[in-house]
Amino acid sequence: MCSHYLDCAAVACALLMLAACEREKRDFNPPPAGASVGASADVAKMLDHYERNASALAAGKRLWTWYNCNGCHANGGGGSGPPLMDDVWIYGGDAMTIYRTISEGRPNGMPAFRGRVPEDQLWQLTAYVRSLSGLAPMDAVTNRDDAFLTRPPEAMLDQPDPERARPSAGSGQR
Amino acid sequence: MMDGMHDVWLPAGPQAATLFQLWIAMLVVCVLVFVGVMAALAIALRRAPRATAATPPDLAVLTRGEPRLHRLIGGAVALSGVLLIGLLVASFLTDRAIAQLPLVDAVRIDLIAHQWWWEARYEPGDPARVFATANELHVPVGRPVLLTLRADDVIHSFWVPNLHGKKDLIPGRESTFAFRADRKGVYRGQCTEFCGYQHAHMGLFVIADEPGDYARWEAAQRLPARAPRSDEERRGFELTTGSTCGMCHTIVGTSAQGQRAPDLTHLAARSTLAAGTVPNTAVTLKAWVANPQAIKPGVNMPAHAFADGDLAAISAYLGSLQ
């Protein structure tokens, strides 16, 4: 009888683990660069594809240095660009706004990367930027770093109130 | 496609030759020992039986030793020890010999392994003379080459069997590696430490040129990219520098200055694409730009939705970068 319950528990655990398969699903055939899906992208789908996906978040983390985001925003702490690891958002911290900030650029220095960075990479970067301030799910964020880190790892950040992903009052122009 | 030698039996440098001698010595000793052991076993098996089931056990050995057998076994153990120590000394001397390559007038190259290609920066110490290439190392015959090995992401290993042994490239750790090619030729190398999805497609070529040919190649590599000449090349140039390419690739003399993917300044001078995966022709170049994932799944380069005419123009421009 006891072993019967154990079997059931083992099967339940195995089924639970299946749910994590999506977490590291990697897309070898992303939409090609130049194909425009951003304008009509379904944000909920984007969240499933990128923000809850560990390999997409890790890819975003690599692109962060590859495309020199750290040139201005450093490791998230900010430099000549605003910091991204705090909960202050000039334009808003929701996925679509961050996506637009990266693709269309913003005044005072943020370049537009549309046409330069493929669509799926823009979403990977968006997801990673959100993870910098703890807005991505803790079970999917990267917890590995090649370089010496000057901030807490993404997986050890406090999960902020999602309400705070709105433009912060008084932060208007910077 | 370029088809380099990839064979420890044909050493083309002093270090590969020394290693080959050690390999032959080990092979000969091990074969002789193996044959000897098998012969002893055959003799023991074929000896006529000295007893039947009815013979009472021979306990003479308890009171009287077996000096002949003792001498034989003692001799064999001593011989094994001598042979093993001999091989140890030979291996030590080989290590010494390959470490003592004179490095006067060495060609200095930074070799950085990436998933899944090789980045080479020639003369990294001199900003006026440095240039970058990928997956194909030209070296002058008879001159030592000093590689500084680095890895960008995971552990890789460098092995060109005709020239030297293996050495790992470890992230965060710089190591050096010297070799010399004494014979002109094309030698194929390969990553020999499993490094991910496309480990098998991480080849490189070491091309040993006569010093004159090498000097010409080096001078050509140091020049900026050739300007587009025909209308199609010009269109390809605009598309290449105006789209995603420049985020990762460098084409010296243009606005493409990315540092994350192979340098394309003299792409047409290389004989393969994607680290020895496909030959570098107009057809494969077009197919590669359109969808690298179809040729090398998992590679970091994304597919591009260029129109067919635009792809042809890009391929024409990249194909002109001699």
Side-chain angles (χ1 to χ4, degrees):
Chain A
M1 197 61 193
C2 178
S3 86
H4 184 69
Y5 283 122
L6 278 177
D7 284 352
C8 286
V11 168
C13 284
L15 284 175
L16 261 178
M17 279 200 284
L18 271 182
C21 287
E22 289 287 301
R23 178 183 173 272
E24 293 187 21
K25 192 172 153 202
R26 185 166 170 191
D27 194 358
F28 283 138
N29 273 310
S36 183
V37 291
S40 59
D42 179 349
V43 174
K45 199 169 149 220
M46 174 268 154
L47 286 174
D48 265 345
H49 253 105
Y50 298 99
E51 203 162 292
R52 294 188 192 124
N53 183 307
S55 75
L57 282 164
K61 184 169 192 162
R62 285 197 304 185
L63 296 171
W64 173 265
T65 46
W66 288 12
Y67 292 164
N68 201 28
C69 305
N70 58 344
C72 296
H73 299 283
N75 275 326
S80 60
L84 299 174
M85 59 189 278
D86 57 11
D87 56 359
V88 178
W89 294 99
I90 301 175
Y91 303 101
D94 62 293
M96 206 59 217
T97 305
I98 294 175
Y99 176 89
R100 287 215 181 91
T101 301
I102 302 171
S103 68
E104 310 300 327
R106 295 288 182 188
N108 297 334
M110 176 75 190
F113 287 94
R114 186 175 41 140
R116 300 269 170 187
V117 175
E119 201 68 34
D120 71 310
Q121 294 186 351
L122 285 174
W123 282 117
Q124 288 166 354
L125 277 166
T126 302
Y128 176 66
V129 166
R130 276 169 62 80
S131 80
L132 277 174
S133 54
L135 289 169
M138 284 294 124
D139 60 342
V141 294
T142 55
N143 47 20
R144 180 182 166 277
D145 280 276
D146 287 329
F148 189 71
L149 209 57
T150 51
R151 57 170 167 75
E154 292 88 331
M156 290 175 72
L157 292 172
D158 295 330
Q159 198 101 58
D161 180 1
E163 277 297 297
R164 283 197 270 171
R166 287 180 309 178
S168 309
S171 61
Q173 290 291 312
R174 249 216 284 186
Chain B
M1 185 156 74
M2 183 150 67
D3 210 12
M5 272 192 278
H6 190 74
D7 195 344
V8 282
W9 284 71
L10 295 165
Q15 293 153 309
T18 318
L19 284 170
F20 184 54
Q21 283 167 5
L22 177 69
W23 190 82
I24 290 286
M26 291 215 171
L27 181 72
V28 167
V29 168
C30 291
V31 165
L32 288 179
V33 168
F34 181 73
V35 169
V37 169
M38 286 300 121
L41 183 67
I43 290 168
L45 287 173
R46 292 185 66 86
R47 264 172 61 166
R50 285 173 296 176
T52 64
T55 317
D58 176 10
L59 299 175
V61 68
L62 293 178
T63 51
R64 172 168 56 83
E66 288 181 297
R68 189 161 156 265
L69 211 53
H70 279 174
R71 271 201 301 278
L72 245 137
I73 291 172
V77 169
L79 182 64
S80 301
V82 168
L83 287 176
L84 282 174
I85 290 168
L87 288 181
L88 187 73
V89 170
S91 155
F92 172 76
L93 292 177
T94 304
D95 247 2
R96 256 173 84 92
I98 60 179
Q100 282 173 346
L101 184 77
L103 290 176
V104 185
D105 190 29
V107 179
R108 282 164 193 274
I109 309 171
D110 272 3
L111 188 69
I112 304 135
H114 301 266
Q115 278 175 327
W116 295 279
W117 61 283
W118 305 88
E119 174 185 0
R121 307 190 85 84
Y122 279 66
E123 305 205 35
D126 185 351
R129 291 173 60 78
V130 66
F131 65 88
T133 182
N135 305 324
E136 272 174 39
L137 297 178
H138 282 252
V139 299
V141 165
R143 239 173 97 188
V145 178
L146 182 62
L147 298 179
T148 303
L149 304 178
R150 288 205 299 269
D152 181 47
D153 29 45
V154 298
I155 300 178
H156 302 270
S157 188
F158 174 81
W159 190 37
V160 186
N162 295 76
L163 295 172
H164 203 323
K166 292 178 193 179
K167 188 137 182 171
D168 279 7
L169 298 90
I170 299 169
R173 230 165 227 272
E174 227 174 64
S175 56
T176 54
F177 189 75
F179 69 89
R180 196 176 76 206
D182 285 343
R183 266 191 298 126
K184 187 171 149 47
V186 178
Y187 308 106
R188 195 179 197 284
Q190 176 69 35
C191 178
T192 45
E193 176 78 39
F194 180 71
C195 61
Y197 207 68
Q198 287 294 343
H199 163 65
H201 284 148
M202 187 170 164
L204 87 162
F205 293 94
V206 175
I207 299 143
D209 293 326
E210 296 296 348
D213 290 342
Y214 172 76
R216 268 190 293 284
W217 174 84
E218 194 190 8
Q221 289 287 313
R222 210 163 268 136
L223 295 174
R226 220 196 67 168
R229 290 189 194 149
S230 68
D231 279 348
E232 190 178 37
E233 283 176 24
R234 254 187 293 283
R235 171 138 184 73
F237 168 79
E238 278 160 19
L239 286 163
T240 306
T241 51
S243 67
T244 49
C245 313
M247 289 299 287
C248 295
H249 293 282
T250 294
I251 303 175
V252 174
T254 73
S255 61
Q257 294 294 335
Q259 295 285 329
R260 271 298 142 184
D263 188 296
L264 302 181
T265 314
H266 300 287
L267 177 69
R270 303 204 284 262
S271 65
T272 66
L273 292 176
T277 308
V278 285
N280 185 3
T281 65
V283 177
T284 52
L285 192 52
K286 212 172 130 182
W288 176 261
V289 175
N291 190 6
Q293 304 296 329
I295 296 170
K296 199 170 172 179
V299 72
N300 285 319
M301 179 162 157
H304 292 84
F306 289 115
D308 207 48
D310 290 351
L311 271 178
I314 290 171
S315 159
Y317 171 63
L318 294 177
S320 77
L321 296 175
Q322 274 295 339

